[in-house]
């Protein structure tokens, strides 16, 4: 074992600290099992040297008692070590997994642009599990087999230390082979992880975009993409297997060298009147042959050991290297703020797009209770502006304030409590209607019903088999577009936040549900600060103020009528969109 591996294991160890008793039991049992190994050749020696002579030095019944007893002890020890190991490994997996999920929940948003959903799923769900299992099994194998080797080796030394020295001379050769193999295995494992992520990503895309793939007849290209990735994975797996499999024949070859040298030496010692008896020689050779199997296991353990370490490292890196979101300490008394928003010279440049900032020195003040419609061509920066408010992104320059307090001074949970969001893509959880409406809050059924009623959705929900307790399925796929949107509105009503952010849907709702949605929205907007990315003329006309944006800047603002009269950007947009 080279030091880096030990350091890598030391980094993993803290996550398994809570279950260390399991490892102690497992390794203790492994020691017992290993200690029984030399007893067989010892028995053989006694049988050969003393069993066939004129008078046996032991009763006949002792032989089966000894043999069976030996296997009972070994069996119990093996079971105990396997059980304790599984227990300990899975406790560690639990700790690690919970740690990773907790980090997923409080990670700075950059994580979600850096890693795909499928890659994160892979790490959290599969990688740590198989990694811990592989590592625990490999470690067990290493402990058990190095102990077995050690005991057998000790017995050999005790039998005939001169012969044993021959074997020691071969150790550096074995160590060299192991080092070379593990380096290669580690490189392959990293490549394999990347390739697995990429394969999973192809699956993710094709699962989410199955409609588009079919509509465009893109199946053959997608199949080719998938095929290329799978093939890359296959190549890496074969290379890994080859690297893993090369070490054991080499180790065995070295063992064969040792064996022949030992036999020659023993015969020579015997011929020159040495102290080698037939029993002693048989025991020596048996113990030596028994040594080959654990040595082979040790070299076989390298591949799963390294793969397990690498898998757990990725989980640990997710926990330790992902920065968490940082909030301040401010929280309004009673939890609910007023909802006055202010942007001062706010700029935002996404990473890699510093030359064309999405927002460029925006100044904007929205009074509590005011409704502001953001309009502008697509790419103007409307969504970017709105995304800064709950701190989903950080401005590259300037400052945002809510109720006069800089956003960075707000406690994150308190800050986000101030916003309700109704956007075009409604995210629903595979849970009951009530849980979806109350999302994150305690479920008060009367309030849920009231919110659904205000959103014009209660009548529909009551037709479901279990009313508000009905499950709405995988991302609400059983609901129509209008129903999903009204559910999002009910969620916003339930949250009762002082600031409402509307990313207004342009999706084709039939006019009846459009009217229902519109009506629900108007009720929701009453008494709240509302920022709406507006497409509907009615919303814009009813807004207190229209803010027209272009190229990340506010180009003009005023009432609908004033801007129309001014004949600027808004008037042009208006003329294009609402020609009737
Ligand atoms: P709008 O909502 O007005 O259509 P956006 O705020 O979505 O405008 O986009 C403003 C600019 O920022 C666009 O040029 C867009 O390409 C870019 N942009 C938006 N979101 C991201 C993102 N997550 N990463 C990089 N660039 C982005």
């Amino acid at each position: 074992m080279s030091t880096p591996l030990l350091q890598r294991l030391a980094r993993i160890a803290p996550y398994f600290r809570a279950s260390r008793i399991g490892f102690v039991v497992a390794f203790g049992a492994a020691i017992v099992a290993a200690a029984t190994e030399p007893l067989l050749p010892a028995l053989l020696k006694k049988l050969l040297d003393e069993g066939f002579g004129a008078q046996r030095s032991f009763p006949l019944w002792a032989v089966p008692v000894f043999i069976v007893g030996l296997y009972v002890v070994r069996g119990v020890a093996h079971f105990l070590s396997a059980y304790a190991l599984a227990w300990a490994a899975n406790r560690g997996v639990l700790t690690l997994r919970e740690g990773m999920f907790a980090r997923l929940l409080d990670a700075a948003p950059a994580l979600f642009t850096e890693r795909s959903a499928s890659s994160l799923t892979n790490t959290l769900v599969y990688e740590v599990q198989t990694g811990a299992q592989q590592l625990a099994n490999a470690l067990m194998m290493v402990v058990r087999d190095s102990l077995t080797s050690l005991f057998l080796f000790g017995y050999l030394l005790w039998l005939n230390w001169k012969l044993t020295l021959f074997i020691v001379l071969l150790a550096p050769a074995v160590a060299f082979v192991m080092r070379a193999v593990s380096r290669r295995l580690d490189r392959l494992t990293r490549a394999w992880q990347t390739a697995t992520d990429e394969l999973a990503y192809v699956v993710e895309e094709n699962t989410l975009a199955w409609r588009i793939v079919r509509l465009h007849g893109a199946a053959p290209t997608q199949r080719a993409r998938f095929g290329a990735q799978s093939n890359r994975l296959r190549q890496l797996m074969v290379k890994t297997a080859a690297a893993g499999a090369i070490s054991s024949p080499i180790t065995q070859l070295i063992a064969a060298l040792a064996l022949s040298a030992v036999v020659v030496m023993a015969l020579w010692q015997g011929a020159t009147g040495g102290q080698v008896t037939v029993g002693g020689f048989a025991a020596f050779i048996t113990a030596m042959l028994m040594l080959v199997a654990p040595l082979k296991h040790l070299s076989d353990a390298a591949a799963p050991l390294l793969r397990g370490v690498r898998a757990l490292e990725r989980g640990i890196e997710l926990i330790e290297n992902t920065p968490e979101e940082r909030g301040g300490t401010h929280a309004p008394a009673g939890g609910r703020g007023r909802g006055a928003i202010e942007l001062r010279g706010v700029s935002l440049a996404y990473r890699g797009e510093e030359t064309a900032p999405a927002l460029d020195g925006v100044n904007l003040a929205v009074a509590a209770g005011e409704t502001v419609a953001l309009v502008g061509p697509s790419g103007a920066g409307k969504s970017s502006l709105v995304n800064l408010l709950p701190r989903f992104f950080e401005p590259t320059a300037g400052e945002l304030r809510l109720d006069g307090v800089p956003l960075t001074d707000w406690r994150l949970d308190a800050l986000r409590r101030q916003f309700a969001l109704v956007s075009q893509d409604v995210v629903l959880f595979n849970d009951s209607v009530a849980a979806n409406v109350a999302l994150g809050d305690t479920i008060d059924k009367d309030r849920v019903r009231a919110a659904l009623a205000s959103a014009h959705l209660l009548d529909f929900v009551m037709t479901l088999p279990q009313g508000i307790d009905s499950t709405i399925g995988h991302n609400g796929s059983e609901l129509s577009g209008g129903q999903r949107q009204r559910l999002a509105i009910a969620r916003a009503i339930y949250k009762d936040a002082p600031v409402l952010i509307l990313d207004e849907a342009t999706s084709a709702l039939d006019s009846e549900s459009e009217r229902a949605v519109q009506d629900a929205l108007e009720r929701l907007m009453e008494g709240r600060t509302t920022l709406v990315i507006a497409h509907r003329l009615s919303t814009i006309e009813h807004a207190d103020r229209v803010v027209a944006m272009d190229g990340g800047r506010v180009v003009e603002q005023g009432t609908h009528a004033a801007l129309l009269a001014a004949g600027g950007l808004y008037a042009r947009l208006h003329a294009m969109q609402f020609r009737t």
Side-chain angles (χ1 to χ4, degrees):
M1 300 295 118
S2 51
T3 7
L5 179 63
L6 281 182
Q7 278 170 8
R8 290 166 76 181
L9 287 173
R11 188 175 178 207
I12 294 172
Y15 293 90
F16 291 82
R17 190 155 291 149
S19 49
R20 60 177 177 272
I21 180 74
F23 288 108
V24 171
V25 171
F27 293 148
I31 294 176
V32 172
T36 61
E37 292 284 335
L39 293 180
L40 266 189
L43 175 70
L44 191 66
K45 177 176 190 303
K46 201 163 183 62
L47 285 178
L48 289 178
D49 283 349
E50 299 166 31
F52 294 97
Q55 76 268 70
R56 273 192 320 270
S57 60
F58 49 87
L60 208 50
W61 59 261
V63 177
V65 166
F66 183 79
I67 294 178
V68 173
L70 192 63
Y71 275 86
V72 167
V73 171
R74 271 172 66 157
V76 170
H78 274 293
F79 172 80
L80 259 186
S81 72
Y83 182 87
L85 192 68
W87 180 84
N90 283 296
R91 276 288 296 260
V93 169
L94 186 70
T95 311
L96 198 52
R97 222 182 232 155
E98 284 176 348
M100 286 191 290
F101 195 66
R103 179 44 35 92
L104 193 72
L105 293 177
D106 70 8
L111 175 69
F112 303 103
T113 44
E114 279 158 17
R115 286 191 64 178
S116 67
S118 51
S119 157
L120 288 169
T121 308
N122 183 35
T123 301
L124 263 90
V125 180
Y126 304 109
E127 213 169 22
V128 286
Q129 181 81 56
T130 43
Q133 245 150 26
Q134 277 180 328
L135 180 61
N137 288 338
L139 273 184
M140 193 60 188
M141 204 141 93
V142 167
V143 168
R144 191 185 289 162
D145 289 307
S146 29
L147 285 172
T148 307
S149 314
L150 214 64
F151 282 117
L152 284 170
F153 191 74
Y155 178 66
L156 285 175
L157 269 180
W158 177 77
L159 265 182
N160 192 330
W161 65 268
K162 282 184 202 145
L163 284 184
T164 312
L165 282 185
F166 266 101
I167 308 175
V168 178
L169 290 180
L170 294 166
V174 176
F176 177 77
V177 173
M178 298 297 289
R179 251 181 101 81
V181 168
S182 32
R183 286 228 179 99
R184 178 159 170 77
L185 280 174
D186 201 50
R187 267 201 310 276
L188 286 170
T189 307
R190 283 166 196 270
W192 180 76
Q193 278 181 329
T194 315
T196 309
D197 278 355
E198 281 163 10
L199 186 76
Y201 191 60
V202 178
V203 177
E204 178 185 327
E205 282 183 337
N206 278 278
T207 316
L208 295 176
W210 64 272
R211 290 187 185 85
I212 262 323
V213 169
R214 290 183 193 192
L215 197 64
H216 286 256
T221 46
Q222 292 302 315
R223 203 178 302 129
R225 238 181 111 201
F226 185 82
Q229 280 301 333
S230 313
N231 199 39
R232 166 132 186 77
L233 213 52
R234 178 192 64 83
Q235 285 169 340
L236 284 167
M237 280 316 280
V238 173
K239 282 184 187 171
T240 308
I246 196 77
S247 59
S248 117
I250 294 184
T251 322
Q252 289 193 341
L253 189 69
I254 295 172
L257 278 176
L259 184 67
S260 26
V262 163
V263 172
V264 170
M265 276 302 289
L267 291 178
W268 182 72
Q269 271 190 344
T272 54
Q275 66 292 64
V276 183
T277 63
V278 172
F281 179 71
F284 195 91
I285 297 296
T286 312
M288 239 190 100
L289 288 175
M290 285 174 72
L291 196 55
V292 173
L295 283 182
K296 176 179 162 5
H297 287 164
L298 279 179
S299 56
D300 285 345
L305 185 73
L306 288 167
R307 201 172 318 143
V309 167
R310 183 61 209 137
L312 292 185
E313 274 176 347
R314 206 151 73 134
I316 290 170
E317 277 160 16
L318 178 67
I319 296 177
E320 293 178 357
N321 300 358
T322 310
E324 60 189 306
E325 287 188 305
R326 281 277 160 74
T329 51
H330 175 77
R336 199 174 193 281
R338 290 178 298 114
I341 296 167
E342 196 182 350
L343 283 79
R344 292 184 189 169
V346 169
S347 295
L348 171 67
Y350 292 103
R351 206 183 301 171
E353 300 185 17
E354 283 79 2
T355 46
L359 292 175
D360 188 6
V362 173
N363 291 302
L364 183 68
V366 181
E370 194 182 5
T371 297
V372 168
L374 296 172
V375 299
S378 91
K382 307 180 293 290
S383 313
S384 300
L385 191 157
V386 149
N387 268 318
L388 288 175
L389 292 171
R391 293 190 64 196
F392 292 157
F393 289 102
E394 294 301 317
T396 26
E399 190 183 57
L400 290 94
R401 286 172 180 249
L402 179 65
D403 295 343
V405 179
L407 294 191
T408 43
D409 290 349
W410 280 74
R411 237 175 48 206
L412 279 172
D413 60 339
L415 174 69
R416 287 168 183 167
R417 172 73 195 81
Q418 313 306 319
F419 299 99
L421 172 73
V422 180
S423 77
Q424 306 181 21
D425 57 324
V426 181
V427 177
L428 299 176
F429 292 83
N430 189 7
D431 205 336
S432 68
V433 173
N436 268 285
V437 170
L439 191 62
D441 203 347
T442 47
I443 300 176
D444 174 338
K445 292 198 174 180
D446 290 331
R447 270 180 66 208
V448 168
R449 273 190 213 96
L452 285 168
S454 308
H456 294 284
L457 196 61
L458 189 60
D459 293 342
F460 165 74
V461 170
M462 291 332 268
T463 64
L464 296 174
Q466 285 145 311
I468 62 168
D469 296 317
S470 311
T471 303
I472 43 179
H474 183 56
N475 199 13
S477 47
E478 289 138 43
L479 302 183
S480 76
Q483 287 162 345
R484 292 163 65 89
Q485 221 152 31
R486 278 177 279 161
L487 204 136
I489 292 170
R491 188 185 278 166
I493 294 171
Y494 193 91
K495 187 170 181 185
D496 189 28
V499 183
L500 180 64
I501 297 171
L502 290 178
D503 193 346
E504 207 175 56
T506 47
S507 50
L509 301 174
D510 59 87
S511 53
E512 191 180 343
S513 52
E514 160 129 27
R515 201 170 316 125
V517 168
Q518 191 62 38
D519 189 40
L521 278 176
E522 268 156 28
R523 287 205 203 179
L524 177 57
M525 286 156 66
E526 273 163 31
R528 294 173 214 276
T529 311
T530 308
L531 277 179
V532 45
I533 297 177
H535 299 283
R536 290 194 189 91
L537 183 59
S538 56
T539 319
I540 301 171
E541 278 173 339
H542 290 128
D544 298 316
R545 183 154 45 119
V546 177
V547 172
M549 295 181 68
D550 195 13
R553 294 170 163 275
V554 173
V555 286
E556 54 184 359
Q557 49 180 311
T559 60
H560 165 71
L563 289 187
L564 268 192
L569 172 71
Y570 178 69
R572 283 202 304 282
L573 283 174
H574 185 267
M576 279 192 303
Q577 269 180 8
F578 308 109
R579 211 160 269 151
T580 47

